Each structure stands twice: as structure tokens, then as C-alpha cells.
Amino acid sequence: MGSMNMAMLVGNVVDDPEMRYMPNGDCVTTFRVATNRFWLDETGKRITVAEYHRLKAFRKPAETIAKHFKKGRLVGITGRMETRSWVDEATGVRKERMEIVVEQYQFLDGRGEDSDPRSRDVGEDRELSLPPIS
């Protein structure tokens, strides 16, 4: 049996994305998306818990995301999970961080000129199949 590494998120952009350039000249944009989980407790009170996800995009998608993803924007993302590790220079301790590498994205809030309902893919435009939101 094969394996699969896939993440799907529908959530709000937490902060304006940050774009920088790598030594080879390619750009990379990092940003965070918050997703919420809801349920009712035993008294009927609605409980909300937010999860914060770190994401990164490369090249042309990185440029588009840096330009159009703004704090609060509702987006749909598919990508793969990747673990990044490094050694903290100050403490010498090895650290790790899980990030999602963006493969497709879609604007879901219909704001502005860039709210084209088509999804964006690293290779070409195609529909981003998201599960229904309940």
C-alpha cells in the first residue's frame, strides 16, 4: 500500500504574509492560517478552539500569496506537510517545526479583484475540491 502526505485547510489568514528571496533568487512566502473547531458543552454553551498552521509557498504562488493574502482573509489551501529542523545557535538545541507547503490555494471570501472563483495551483488553474463546511 502507498502513502500520502496531504493537508487541506479552510481558514483565515492570521497575519499579512512575509515574502523573502532565497540565495538562488526564488521567492518564498510564509504565513499562518487559523482554523476553528466548534462544539457544544454539556450546558449547551458553544466552545470554539483555534488551531494555527504555518505555511509556505514558493516562486510564482509565493508572489501572488504575498500580494493578495491579507490578515482575516478566508482561504482554502491544499499542500503537503514538511518538517523543518535546525540547531538553535544560542542554545545548541536541535528544533523542529511542521509546516505545510502550499500546492493549491483558493480565495473563499469574494473580496476584491483577486477573488476569482478558480483555484490557483503551482502548475495550472484547476478546481480545488474542498469538503463541505458544516
Side-chain angles (χ1 to χ4, degrees):
M1 178 176 224
S3 62
M4 181 187 327
N5 178 356
M6 182 176 177
M8 294 180 76
L9 301 174
V10 173
N12 295 93
V13 178
V14 175
D15 299 308
D16 290 345
E18 295 180 17
M19 186 175 76
R20 64 184 192 286
Y21 289 90
M22 296 185 293
N24 68 2
D26 287 343
C27 64
V28 60
T29 296
T30 56
F31 61 104
R32 293 184 306 147
V33 170
T35 57
N36 295 312
R37 190 166 58 103
F38 307 98
W39 73 90
L40 299 178
D41 70 9
E42 58 279 350
T43 66
K45 180 181 174 188
R46 182 178 165 134
I47 306 294
T48 304
V49 174
E51 283 289 330
Y52 297 91
H53 312 275
R54 294 183 178 276
L55 297 97
K56 61 184 174 183
F58 296 95
R59 296 176 207 67
K60 182 65 176 167
E63 293 173 4
T64 303
I65 287 169
K67 181 178 178 183
H68 297 290
F69 278 28
K70 301 298 179 203
K71 181 178 179 177
R73 189 115 206 231
L74 182 64
V75 296
I77 302 282
T78 61
R80 69 182 186 280
M81 298 192 315
E82 185 174 279
T83 303
R84 185 169 61 93
S85 61
W86 70 97
V87 174
D88 184 311
E89 292 181 15
T91 64
V93 175
R94 183 172 182 257
K95 297 189 175 193
E96 289 187 346
R97 173 179 293 158
M98 180 69 69
E99 298 173 321
I100 297 171
V101 178
V102 176
E103 293 177 349
Q104 296 179 27
Y105 59 92
Q106 186 172 12
F107 304 103
L108 299 175
D109 57 10
R111 286 195 264 159
E113 63 185 31
D114 51 339
S115 60
D116 185 340
R118 293 175 298 159
S119 65
R120 310 307 195 267
D121 184 355
V122 171
E124 61 184 78
D125 281 353
R126 69 177 186 219
E127 282 299 310
L128 174 60
S129 179
L130 296 172
I133 300 172
S134 53

